[in-house]
Amino acid sequence: MFYREAGDFKTSYGEDSQTFPIKFDRLRYFAVLAIAFGVVPLFINDYWANAVAVPFLIYAIAAIGLNILVGYAGQVSLGTGGFMAVGAYAVYKLMTAFPEVSIFIHVILAGGITAAVGVLFGLPSLRIKGFYLAVATLAAQFFLVWLFNKVPWFYNYSASGQINAPDRTIFGVFVTGAQTSAMAKYLFCLVMLTLVALVARNLTRGTVGRKWMAIRDMDIAAEIIGVNPLTTKLSAFAVSSFFIGIAGALFFAVYLGAAEVGEAFGIQKSFLILFMVIIGGLGSIFGSFAGAAFLVLLPVFLKNVLVGTLGWPTDLAAHIELMIVGGLIVVFLIAEPHGLAQLWRVAKEKLRLWPFPH
Amino acid sequence: MNDMSDGYVTADGRQIGGVLMEMKNITLKFGGVTAIKDISFDVRAGEIRAIIGPNGAGKSSMLNVISGFYVPTEGEVWFKGVKRGPMRPYQVARLGIARTFQNIALFDGMSVLDNILTGRLTLMKKGLLSQAAWWWSGAAQEEYEHREKVEKIIDFLEIQNIRKTPVGRLPYGLKKRVELARALAAEPKILLLDEPMAGMNVEEKEDMSRFILDVNDEFGTTIVLIEHDMGVVMDLSDRVVVMDYGKKIGDGTPDEVRTNQDVIDAYLGVAHD
Ligand SMILES: Nc1ncnc2c1ncn2[C@@H]1O[C@H](COP(=O)(O)OP(=O)(O)OP(=O)(O)O)[C@@H](O)[C@H]1O
Ligand SMILES: [Mg+2]
């Protein structure tokens, strides 16, 4: 099969603005969906679910959320960990207060609550930009972690100060709690990620996305063509936090099962997600996937190769991982702010014209 | 001076209507600097109104007052016979006033198509939730309808071949054209153009002049134009306001203005006393 536009004529604007304008891309996209839903669940085991698949799915949701704020709307945030914590504690309180309601509803509601909190902490963005906004969101990060530690109501006065996810089912299958199978965890998170990616794609391809990008690229010009900076920035904070809240809820309820806020949702988490977005590509949904996959797989890969095969000490492998990630961040920030997604696009651009580039 | 009570017909046969917008005794101060001193003028529906004057005369400041970036220290802006309250620029946009900037203000990270589509923002009604549902809510349908309108503008301005190009990569002349396209996409009642031909070569200027005339002629758009090239101004405009040091020193048809002694002095650099 050739990777070509030729002979693949668009006869309507609908076709021209498809997510995957080239037929081959579209086919591959459906193939990926089919494999993700139909094949992977058959083979997934606890190791792959816990080390790779589930964290990847959840981080991809968070990265899409952060990318909407940073990559599309141009508003810096270092508060991702804190917002994930809001999602986690919201879902915990909902699960324990309304055990009869579906966990699916609770996860969505947790996203909604996080969206409201995100809007609140997004208010300073109306006055401050860039570095100062980053500091304000950093303050949100520390405040939220402190709050969930300090106020016992949030962790239902448990002696350990931890929150523990009760057992919950969807269609009679456990998706949270100790009895949950690797396949159930994987499929639940996969469904959520698919929904999130679809909504994110729809928002970014239309008016809402253009408003965000307009504010990002030149706020004065955006205002002159009718973009209300207040509602636009706050909508970016809301949508972004909604997704990040869902990610936090899943991270706690499905992945960890039990969480201590500082450990699970500390500042490292904020940076991790931000690095995913930078490495994957600012302003790209696909980049959010790529960045999440890269940073989830890198430590697994290094551990297997360096520690497993070469027999290096674990701490050395961990240091090498830090150095690689640090180096890549610098390289991407300087050389290719659109990240892996852009490298992929360039490669496709070349392939599209290959072997006659002129 | 201009006795045209309720509109008139131009020499080339265009019908000019009544007063659409009126600036009444506008004064604008920045601390000690007075950028605009007590200026009044009107703009009639369907006309091409030029504002000329030497550098620093206050022309751009006047457009900024109209589009809501600056709040005048004194004076009033009347639009369609109603006094306009204090307004943010995005609210002015919703009244149907679009503009371009002296220093191009496009969205560099977006394609030409997306830049122009953004111009239709005030005409697109689907909200966030409809957008999220896309196919099921009719947001996709709305997008395609507007895309069709945008394609007409793209054809009109002859920029078909750069549709998908990120604006940041375009040369200066084309950027100016895309900025005009984005303003036109809003289907404005009044189009404010701040030096649309600055820095262009003769050929590009001719193209741009043709586009401005066509816009005015085909869509009946009222145009307020700042321009330094006197030849262009004399060719295009129906009436001209002349500013110097923040004051209005002339107002009338190109011929009237050309023979106005104050204007001649200002342009020849006669010493101010
Ligand atoms: N934001 C501002 N703050 C302070 N002074 C300003 C501001 N904007 C404009 N001015 C001053 O107002 C005066 C008029 O400036 P303006 O840009 O309106 O002139 P102009 O007629 O558009 O000139 P040009 O032909 O160079 O574009 C200048 O003296 C300028 O320095
Ligand atoms: Mg100016």
Side-chain angles (χ1 to χ4, degrees):
Chain A
M1 164 125 26
F2 284 119
Y3 189 73
R4 283 292 185 273
E5 265 173 330
D8 190 9
F9 296 111
K10 317 287 187 292
T11 52
S12 74
Y13 297 127
E15 285 178 31
D16 193 43
S17 63
Q18 267 163 339
T19 309
F20 301 99
I22 292 186
K23 213 174 189 172
F24 182 70
D25 279 339
R26 238 163 17 244
L27 288 175
R28 193 181 45 211
Y29 164 73
F30 287 120
V32 168
L33 269 184
I35 292 171
F37 276 97
V39 181
V40 177
L42 303 177
F43 298 99
I44 197 153
N45 59 22
D46 276 335
Y47 173 75
W48 282 102
N50 287 327
V52 177
V54 173
F56 161 71
L57 296 171
I58 295 173
Y59 284 136
I61 295 176
I64 290 173
L66 186 64
N67 215 334
I68 282 183
L69 191 64
V70 183
Y72 284 93
Q75 310 295 307
V76 190
S77 169
L78 292 174
T80 316
F83 293 127
M84 283 179 79
V86 174
Y89 279 78
V91 87
Y92 172 68
K93 290 301 286 186
L94 289 166
M95 283 167 92
T96 48
F98 308 101
E100 65 288 347
V101 176
S102 163
I103 171 81
F104 179 79
I105 307 276
H106 282 153
V107 170
I108 301 289
L109 286 178
I113 291 169
T114 315
V117 176
V119 167
L120 197 67
F121 285 102
L123 285 173
S125 72
L126 306 174
R127 279 299 171 81
I128 56 179
K129 293 180 191 172
F131 175 72
Y132 298 96
L133 182 60
V135 172
T137 56
L138 194 63
Q141 165 73 42
F142 285 109
F143 169 76
L144 288 168
V145 168
W146 171 85
L147 182 74
F148 293 128
N149 254 328
K150 257 306 176 267
V151 182
W153 178 80
F154 285 114
Y155 48 86
N156 284 358
Y157 308 94
S158 77
S160 62
Q162 278 200 343
I163 51 176
N164 290 286
D167 298 348
R168 291 290 179 270
T169 59
I170 291 181
F171 303 128
V173 179
F174 282 103
V175 292
T176 66
Q179 290 134 288
T180 311
S181 70
M183 186 174 105
K185 284 186 192 175
Y186 168 83
L187 277 178
F188 185 33
C189 293
L190 181 64
V191 168
M192 295 310 294
L193 172 61
T194 309
L195 290 177
V196 164
L198 198 66
V199 169
R201 165 65 190 155
N202 287 345
L203 288 179
T204 51
R205 72 161 111 180
T207 323
V208 177
R210 285 194 294 270
K211 279 191 208 172
W212 288 338
M213 292 189 278
I215 285 285
R216 172 196 71 190
D217 283 352
M218 189 164 281
D219 48 3
I220 289 177
E223 220 182 322
I224 208 68
I225 54 174
V227 177
N228 179 345
L230 178 108
T231 54
T232 303
K233 284 181 186 172
L234 291 186
S235 73
F237 270 95
V239 172
S240 164
S241 310
F242 178 68
F243 294 158
I244 290 171
I246 289 178
L250 294 174
F251 196 71
F252 152 69
V254 179
Y255 180 60
L256 295 178
E260 193 280 317
V261 61
E263 203 177 303
F265 302 109
I267 181 75
Q268 330 79 273
K269 197 108 305 165
S270 298
F271 280 114
L272 178 68
I273 313 283
L274 187 62
F275 292 165
M276 287 174 178
V277 170
I278 292 172
I279 289 178
L282 289 163
S284 158
I285 305 285
F286 170 75
S288 312
F289 280 84
F294 187 81
L295 284 191
V296 167
L297 284 173
L298 184 68
V300 176
F301 173 78
L302 290 180
K303 198 165 167 221
N304 280 330
V305 172
L306 299 183
V307 183
T309 313
L310 300 177
W312 293 11
T314 322
D315 54 343
L316 183 62
H319 287 308
I320 288 183
E321 183 198 335
L322 281 181
M323 284 161 60
I324 292 179
V325 172
L328 280 174
I329 295 289
V330 174
V331 169
F332 275 114
L333 277 182
I334 293 171
E336 187 47 273
H338 297 291
L340 293 172
Q342 179 67 12
L343 296 181
W344 177 240
R345 261 196 298 273
V346 170
K348 283 204 300 191
E349 211 57 46
K350 296 243 159 78
L351 187 60
R352 197 182 273 200
L353 302 173
W354 181 88
F356 304 111
H358 292 295
Chain B
M1 174 175 39
N2 304 309
D3 181 32
M4 307 175 267
S5 46
D6 243 333
Y8 63 103
V9 179
T10 60
D12 54 348
R14 282 154 43 247
Q15 176 66 46
I16 304 296
V19 173
L20 180 60
M21 182 171 67
E22 197 172 0
M23 314 300 286
K24 292 189 180 174
N25 308 96
I26 301 285
T27 296
L28 178 69
K29 292 182 182 161
F30 298 106
V33 183
T34 306
I36 302 174
K37 276 186 209 118
D38 193 27
I39 290 190
S40 304
F41 67 94
D42 62 11
V43 179
R44 288 172 172 270
E47 80 177 335
I48 301 183
R49 188 76 150 119
I51 303 178
I52 63 171
N55 290 100
K59 307 180 295 296
S60 296
S61 301
M62 183 59 86
L63 284 205
N64 284 336
V65 167
I66 298 176
S67 55
F69 275 115
Y70 296 156
V71 180
T73 321
E74 274 166 58
E76 297 165 357
V77 182
W78 287 61
F79 185 64
K80 289 185 177 169
V82 187
K83 184 184 158 188
R84 208 177 76 182
M87 272 190 174
R88 303 286 312 156
Y90 71 88
Q91 295 168 312
V92 174
R94 288 169 193 180
L95 289 180
I97 300 181
R99 73 172 285 182
T100 64
F101 289 83
Q102 187 167 350
N103 315 305
I104 302 166
L106 284 166
F107 310 122
D108 280 350
M110 297 159 72
S111 68
V112 168
L113 191 59
D114 276 338
N115 266 274
I116 305 175
L117 269 166
T118 314
R120 295 192 68 79
L121 209 74
T122 52
L123 305 170
M124 297 177 79
K125 300 294 173 226
K126 297 285 179 193
L128 192 101
L129 291 179
S130 313
Q131 289 274 318
W134 199 247
W135 295 110
W136 295 299
S137 62
Q141 188 55 39
E142 185 187 48
E143 177 96 359
Y144 303 147
E145 284 163 17
H146 286 270
R147 171 81 191 270
E148 218 161 315
K149 296 269 171 55
V150 164
E151 288 294 336
K152 291 215 178 86
I153 294 169
I154 287 178
D155 287 344
F156 177 70
L157 293 178
E158 298 157 16
I159 46 179
Q160 297 91 335
N161 54 338
I162 53 166
R163 254 195 213 93
K164 299 274 172 91
T165 313
V167 159
R169 284 198 220 149
L170 295 177
Y172 181 82
L174 280 178
K175 279 189 184 172
K176 282 261 179 200
R177 215 185 272 193
V178 173
E179 205 189 11
L180 176 64
R182 186 183 65 190
L184 281 181
E187 299 178 4
K189 300 213 171 46
I190 301 187
L191 184 57
L192 313 174
L193 304 174
D194 197 344
E195 304 200 12
M197 291 165 230
M200 286 187 167
N201 62 34
V202 177
E203 201 180 326
E204 288 172 325
K205 278 187 185 177
E206 278 171 4
D207 280 343
M208 191 52 102
S209 301
R210 182 163 52 85
F211 291 137
I212 293 172
L213 283 174
D214 284 352
V215 167
N216 175 255
D217 207 25
E218 283 185 33
F219 310 124
T221 312
T222 306
I223 292 171
V224 179
L225 168 83
I226 297 179
E227 189 46 60
H228 274 299
D229 187 322
M230 289 309 276
V232 168
V233 170
M234 296 301 154
D235 282 351
L236 290 185
S237 51
D238 297 311
R239 289 190 299 152
V240 185
V241 176
V242 191
M243 292 176 69
D244 189 24
Y245 285 99
K247 282 183 297 209
K248 184 168 100 169
I249 58 169
D251 188 350
T253 63
D255 283 331
E256 285 168 358
V257 163
R258 206 197 325 245
T259 51
N260 180 327
Q261 192 57 43
D262 288 339
V263 177
I264 295 169
D265 290 349
Y267 271 86
L268 294 180
V270 171
H272 290 258
D273 37 30

